[in-house]
Amino acid sequence: MSIVLAVYGKGGIGKSTTSANLSAAFAKKGAKVLQIGCDPKHDSTFPLTGMLQDTVIDVLNEFDFHHEEIEPEDVIKTGYAGVDTLESGGPPAGSGCGGYVVGQTVKLLKEH
């Protein structure tokens, strides 16, 4: 089963909770799910993992942006119902588009 779902909207409307619930429901129905958070607070995967995980940008920074040195388990954590989670991060609130961090995340995922 392949499903791609994007959830976005203004802050505080429940996107993270809704996304986590949908991810868990799809996983319990047998889907392989990767929930990608794109939020400066990097907390959209918290309901599934019970932790704030490092963002892709944080990990890339640790490796001086040498993506070839990063393993999937450095950025992907498995949470409730076997949902894989990744936090791409985002720009500081109010500073503009998250296109850069999303682009870096996609680039890293393509490598793996």
Side-chain angles (χ1 to χ4, degrees):
M1 173 185 332
S2 293
I3 298 170
V4 176
L5 178 67
V7 178
Y8 67 95
K10 71 178 233 46
I13 62 170
K15 296 178 299 295
S16 296
T17 301
T18 300
S19 297
N21 287 335
L22 286 169
S23 292
F26 286 130
K28 288 184 135 206
K29 290 287 189 182
K32 180 72 176 152
V33 178
L34 172 63
Q35 180 169 318
I36 302 173
C38 181
D39 180 334
K41 298 181 295 184
H42 63 97
D43 65 354
S44 75
T45 59
F46 183 86
L48 296 165
T49 63
M51 61 183 241
L52 291 176
Q53 63 193 81
D54 290 337
T55 68
V56 168
I57 296 302
D58 292 337
V59 174
L60 281 168
N61 191 41
E62 287 176 30
F63 287 88
D64 201 27
F65 287 81
H66 290 275
H67 59 81
E68 66 278 0
E69 297 178 23
I70 297 173
E71 297 297 324
E73 56 270 11
D74 293 330
V75 293
I76 297 173
K77 307 299 180 207
T78 302
Y80 178 77
V83 174
D84 287 331
T85 65
L86 177 147
E87 286 286 353
S88 62
S95 68
C97 177
Y100 171 73
V101 294
V102 171
Q104 289 296 315
T105 298
V106 169
K107 181 178 174 181
L108 181 65
L109 288 173
K110 283 183 178 181
E111 290 294 317
H112 295 287

